[in-house]
Amino acid sequence: MIRILTTATVFCNRQSRISAHPFCQAGARPAISTTNSFALAFLILGLAGCMTVETPSEVDPAGYPPADAAPVKDTRVQATPDALIPTDSVATPTDTSSPTPEMPSPSPAEPATTGDPGAVDEAVTIGFLDRLRASFRLDHSLDRKGVAKEVSWMARRPDRLARRDRLLEYLPYLCEKVWDRGLPGEICLLPIVESRLDPFAFSPGGAVGLWQFIPATAKRFGLKIDWWVDERRDVVLATDAALNYLEELHDRFGDWLLALAAYNWGEGNVSRAIRRSGPNAGFFDIRVPRETVRYVDRLLAYSAVFAHPASFGIELPLSNPEAAAVSFAVVDTGGQVDLARAAEALGCDLDEIYRRNPALNRWATHPEGPHRLLVSAGSESTAEQALAQIPEKERLAWVRHLVVSGETLSKIALAYRTSTETLQHANRLQSTLIRAGDYLLVPTTHRPLEDYARYSRPLAGRPAGVYVVKAGDTIWDIARLLGLKRQTLMNANQIGPNDILRIGQRLSIP
């Protein structure tokens, strides 16, 4: 009864709207006439119900749950065949024991606010995640069941995003490059969808690296794939190539979701799907494979999580401005250099060189360049000076060896503590046959080859043998001949099912 009377009194004693704080003003309030007592009684009874309604929970203007809300529960879906389906109906029947949560509808996407990537003070002031959120431009479509499903899964499995060390190592750099170009911030998160930020990620289709380039597309955008390096694993070169490709796709289709679909499914496939649906068709109007639908939904879900991680019960390791700084820098090596000798000059472990430079396959940088290494941020000036001071004769040693009667390539390799494959590549030999009187160039390593093999992924682990590709060979035939699964053979050699095998090519037998 006290609450009812108080409510009525407040209502009846409201001041004019010109007062900013009506309940804090001094002065007499209008009196209530005794002749209106009956009216007041009816007023009290009428207001008693409406004035005690609880205020609804606040919802973020962008459509995200409040930060103190419980994490969204997972919704399990039944598997369905990967048929071509309309993208606006991707949800599959849900398990009745775990109903799909009600996701708030997002408001229209706000204009981009990319800011100046060089404004370090501003970035530190607003924080990395705030800056990333400000650069988002796409509608995250939280009302889509596919997006809600991905968000729910991440709420239960936040490790699905990427390992903490990879987030800190690569994501700040990727974002800087995206911001430099003024692209939507959501593109920063695409390598998480592609590879979980693993530079050694390898797909059954033959795609490699953070951005998952297949060989044909990698070569189209200038990435080298040879005995020395696989630049699909180079975070700097591969990122430039991927962003060039995405910009090209956006110019072609005029829509970022269509560009993303083309990056995953192929630009030719997307073009044909648009022709079938009409010239003005958007991503949600065309029919694409379920894999591509999930691909786009996953990127939108990851973006929603990075926009408001606390709203989904997820903690990201990038809230500290110092932890979110770019952790590496590029330095010039002045030419080809032995990695062990470079590590000595830089005062770091050989493992650090390989970890920072996952594109390197061998014991030295590529003879044709680019002549540079990635080092820890802040050390670039001293690192470049230290590399420049390596004497020329110590950068990479070569021995000119005269083949004598009775020598074989394997014996020469053993004598120089190298491999027959190294000698073949160094001397452009199509086979292991050599003749007395020939000269061979033998690269000698600064340390025993085993020291490099411990760190370099392609050198690590001795293969059970080597198979030399013959005319007419296919991956399927070779795997069946060796009694291996095709995927095992492809993984061991990082080749895809559609890669062209060359006669004389040497495949490692795992």
Side-chain angles (χ1 to χ4, degrees):
M1 188 61 184
I2 294 174
R3 181 174 181 180
I4 294 174
L5 290 173
T6 302
T7 302
T9 304
V10 170
F11 179 85
C12 295
N13 290 304
R14 292 177 61 185
Q15 297 290 320
S16 171
R17 290 187 179 181
I18 59 175
S19 173
H21 302 284
F23 302 117
C24 301
Q25 302 291 329
R29 296 173 177 169
I32 302 175
S33 172
T34 55
T35 60
N36 293 330
S37 58
F38 286 100
L40 176 60
F42 283 103
L43 177 62
I44 293 173
L45 294 176
L47 291 175
C50 63
M51 295 300 288
T52 58
V53 177
E54 296 295 332
T55 303
S57 301
E58 294 185 359
V59 177
D60 185 276
Y64 298 96
D68 57 353
V72 182
K73 294 184 179 179
D74 183 28
T75 56
R76 304 180 183 274
V77 299
Q78 304 293 330
T80 57
D82 287 348
L84 293 178
I85 58 173
T87 55
D88 58 355
S89 59
V90 299
T92 52
T94 56
D95 189 336
T96 56
S97 63
S98 180
T100 303
E102 291 289 336
M103 301 295 292
S105 299
S107 61
E110 297 181 359
T113 310
T114 57
D116 179 8
V120 178
D121 293 340
E122 177 188 355
V124 171
T125 300
I126 66 173
F128 175 80
L129 290 178
D130 293 327
R131 189 179 177 199
L132 176 59
R133 177 166 51 245
S135 70
F136 286 162
R137 298 216 303 261
L138 306 182
D139 184 344
H140 298 161
S141 301
L142 287 172
D143 55 336
R144 281 176 53 79
K145 291 183 179 179
V147 176
K149 172 180 174 290
E150 293 291 340
V151 169
S152 298
W153 179 252
M154 276 185 291
R156 294 182 55 192
R157 294 286 305 277
D159 59 322
R160 182 178 181 177
L161 287 167
R163 278 178 13 191
R164 175 187 173 88
D165 58 333
R166 291 177 186 156
L167 282 170
L168 296 175
E169 178 83 7
Y170 297 120
L171 190 59
Y173 175 80
L174 299 174
C175 289
E176 289 291 344
K177 302 305 289 186
V178 169
W179 294 335
D180 281 347
R181 297 184 184 224
L183 305 181
E186 288 86 354
I187 303 298
C188 303
L189 309 180
L190 191 60
I192 302 180
V193 177
E194 290 281 0
S195 63
R196 297 183 68 231
L197 297 179
D198 181 3
F200 286 99
F202 175 77
S203 77
V208 168
L210 264 67
W211 294 92
Q212 289 290 282
F213 276 101
I214 60 173
T217 309
K219 292 175 182 177
R220 171 182 163 189
F221 286 91
L223 299 178
K224 285 197 293 287
I225 305 172
D226 60 23
W227 189 73
W228 291 97
V229 296
D230 188 338
E231 290 179 346
R232 295 176 293 177
R233 300 196 301 262
D234 187 307
V235 62
V236 173
L237 298 177
T239 297
D240 284 341
L243 297 184
N244 288 341
Y245 187 27
L246 285 163
E247 284 184 319
E248 181 181 296
L249 293 172
H250 182 258
D251 290 343
R252 176 172 178 174
F253 297 108
D255 180 273
W256 278 112
L257 294 188
L258 289 175
L260 292 168
Y263 191 91
N264 174 259
W265 189 30
E267 51 202 284
N269 291 326
V270 171
S271 293
R272 286 187 287 273
I274 291 174
R275 284 197 298 270
R276 288 192 295 266
S277 300
N280 298 321
F283 175 71
F284 298 114
D285 303 316
I286 64 175
R287 295 169 64 84
V288 302
R290 183 172 297 278
E291 175 190 352
T292 303
V293 175
R294 290 172 178 166
Y295 177 85
V296 173
D297 281 346
R298 187 162 296 170
L299 179 65
L300 298 177
Y302 286 4
S303 301
V305 168
F306 271 83
H308 292 273
S311 298
F312 303 104
I314 295 176
E315 182 179 357
L316 298 174
L318 294 159
S319 56
N320 184 345
E322 295 180 0
V326 176
S327 63
F328 58 82
V330 180
V331 298
D332 185 15
T333 62
Q336 189 179 24
V337 64
D338 186 298
L339 299 180
R341 186 64 185 88
E344 290 178 0
L346 296 174
C348 66
D349 294 333
L350 185 57
D351 174 54
E352 175 72 7
I353 297 287
Y354 279 112
R355 188 185 70 80
R356 292 279 188 195
N357 300 270
L360 298 174
N361 287 341
R362 305 299 160 184
W363 72 92
T365 56
H366 199 290
E368 300 173 2
H371 301 300
R372 48 95 163 142
L373 287 173
L374 270 59
V375 298
S376 298
S379 67
E380 51 264 40
S381 58
T382 56
E384 195 160 301
Q385 183 178 4
L387 292 170
Q389 292 175 350
I390 300 176
E392 189 63 32
K393 64 179 181 180
E394 295 182 15
R395 299 184 69 84
L396 197 70
W398 294 84
V399 174
R400 193 165 182 258
H401 177 85
L402 175 64
V403 179
V404 299
S405 179
E407 280 189 321
T408 63
L409 201 63
S410 60
K411 287 182 179 179
I412 296 172
L414 183 63
Y416 286 98
R417 305 188 71 177
T418 185
S419 66
T420 56
E421 186 180 28
T422 299
L423 295 180
Q424 279 189 271
H425 281 276
N427 294 274
R428 302 181 184 277
L429 300 175
Q430 297 298 316
S431 69
T432 58
L433 296 178
I434 55 176
R435 294 176 299 179
D438 288 345
Y439 280 95
L440 294 178
L441 285 176
V442 182
T444 58
T445 56
H446 188 68
R447 296 184 194 172
L449 191 61
E450 291 77 12
D451 287 357
Y452 302 83
R454 283 186 299 173
Y455 303 116
S456 173
R457 182 75 67 91
L459 295 174
R462 293 286 184 181
V466 173
Y467 179 87
V468 181
V469 177
K470 302 185 297 296
D473 276 344
T474 66
I475 287 289
W476 178 267
D477 294 333
I478 296 171
R480 185 170 56 181
L481 177 66
L482 298 175
L484 297 171
K485 292 183 178 179
R486 185 178 64 161
Q487 190 61 48
T488 301
L489 185 63
M490 290 192 297
N491 288 345
N493 293 275
Q494 292 217 338
I495 56 177
N498 299 319
D499 287 358
I500 298 175
L501 298 179
R502 303 181 306 276
I503 296 175
Q505 183 177 350
R506 298 167 67 85
L507 301 179
S508 296
I509 304 173

